[in-house]
Every structure is written in structure tokens, then in C-alpha cells.
Amino acid sequence: MSNQRLSEFDIQEAIKEVANLMGVSARTAPKSAGKDFVVIKVIYGEEVNRLAEEMVHYGEEFSKKNFDRDGDNVKNSLAVLLIGLKEAQSLGLNCGACGYDQCSDRISHKSNEFDGPQCAFRLLDMGIAIGSAVKTAGIMNVDNRVMYRAGVVAKKMGLIDADFVMGIPLSVTGKNIYFDR
């Protein structure tokens, strides 16, 4: 039996396994009325570096706070799980949470960061999917953080085909890089 040191394991292979399990958790999370509009993608390596660079650039170009900080976190991550909504149909409850009294009045439009308005129940579906994914990462002791800013830039770069996106960078280090920033 080998006396393998803790640092001598394949971190890249482990992160791929965890990212895949996170994707499974997001996919199987409950969805309103059983209709699934959640899209999921994982990026690695050079795509992660490109995303990090573009996040910094976007923050500078539009004078948006903390895109540089979060871009630095993404740069130091092994992977980023992207979770979004694509062409999410209204649930049909006419609840008004999206800003329209009737679901049929909701007019989809493109905006500078995300497309909307989104049905509040579909956003809840996405949030539950995100929560399920990060729960899985937590169980596997992989550091992560849900990032709005990573989602904005990933959408703009076309890294995922979605109308509304959040990014979840993943890290395996001796100290969580996403906190105490």
C-alpha cells in the first residue's frame, strides 16, 4: 500500500467529478410544475482564465464595483459551474411577481446584463438548482461561491446559452479563497 501524501492526488480529476455531481444535483432539483428551463455548463482551464480576464475588463469598462475582485477569484479557480434559465415560460399563475399583472402581458426583452423579465417561479427553480449544486460541493468539501458577476460576463461571452445566469467557481486549497476577501 502506498503512503500517498495528501497533496499527491489528481485535483483536476476530482474537480471534474465534483462539478459533474453538482450538475446532476442542479438537474434533478425540483422544478415548478415539473417543467425544466434550467441550463447547466461547466468550464475549465483556458475558458476560466478568459472569463476572469473579461470580468475585470467589464468592471473597468462600465465602472462596476467588485468585478475585479470576483475576476481574481475566478482566475484562481479550477472550474466554474454556470447555471441559468433559457426561454423560461411563465408558470401561468398571474401572481404579478415579475412586474406584470398577467403572465400573458410579460414581454421578454434583452437588457444590458440579463434578459427578462423572468417568471419568479422559474427564478426560484434556478435558485433551488443552485442551492442543490452548492450543497453537493459542500458535501464534497469543495470551496465555492455563487457569483452574479461571473454569470453576467459568462452570458456576454456566450459561454452558456441562457437568458439569466449565475456562476459558481470551484477551488480546492488549504483556505477558502472566496471569503475574507
Side-chain angles (χ1 to χ4, degrees):
M1 184 165 129
S2 156
N3 188 9
Q4 190 177 42
R5 290 185 6 202
L6 183 60
S7 62
E8 294 176 358
F9 60 94
D10 190 339
I11 292 176
Q12 284 294 11
E13 194 60 36
I15 213 70
K16 286 179 181 178
E17 290 174 18
V18 171
N20 284 331
L21 291 171
M22 291 172 70
V24 168
S25 294
R27 175 60 58 227
T28 60
K31 314 290 188 306
S32 299
K35 304 248 175 150
D36 190 354
F37 299 97
V38 173
V39 292
I40 305 160
K41 183 177 179 186
V42 184
I43 61 170
Y44 303 97
E46 188 51 41
E47 282 188 316
V48 171
N49 291 331
R50 282 186 30 237
L51 174 60
E53 290 170 10
E54 286 299 317
M55 288 172 69
V56 172
H57 176 72
Y58 182 83
E60 290 170 351
E61 182 178 351
F62 295 100
S63 300
K64 301 270 272 187
K65 186 177 178 182
N66 294 328
F67 275 80
D68 56 340
R69 178 201 64 196
D70 287 356
D72 188 52
N73 279 155
V74 168
K75 179 180 78 179
N76 292 304
S77 298
L78 297 168
V80 177
L81 181 72
L82 302 169
I83 298 181
L85 287 176
K86 177 69 177 164
E87 298 173 357
Q89 299 169 0
S90 294
L91 193 57
L93 297 178
N94 298 322
C95 70
C98 69
Y100 291 87
D101 290 332
Q102 301 291 312
C103 294
S104 60
D105 294 339
R106 187 173 68 103
I107 300 169
S108 185
H109 65 278
K110 306 256 183 225
S111 83
N112 62 337
E113 291 185 350
F114 297 125
D115 304 337
Q118 298 294 328
C119 173
F121 288 91
R122 300 306 177 195
L123 290 170
L124 287 169
D125 292 347
M126 183 178 147
I128 293 167
I130 289 169
S132 293
V134 300
K135 169 207 61 169
T136 298
I139 289 170
M140 303 303 291
N141 297 310
V142 172
D143 294 332
N144 65 89
R145 185 169 185 128
V146 179
M147 288 188 179
Y148 140 80
R149 293 173 186 90
V152 166
V153 177
K155 179 185 183 306
K156 287 194 169 300
M157 292 175 65
L159 293 175
I160 185 170
D161 183 18
D163 303 317
F164 187 86
V165 183
M166 294 289 139
I168 308 168
L170 307 174
S171 172
V172 178
T173 60
K175 182 183 180 312
N176 188 329
I177 66 172
Y178 308 116
F179 293 92
D180 300 333
R181 308 187 274 171

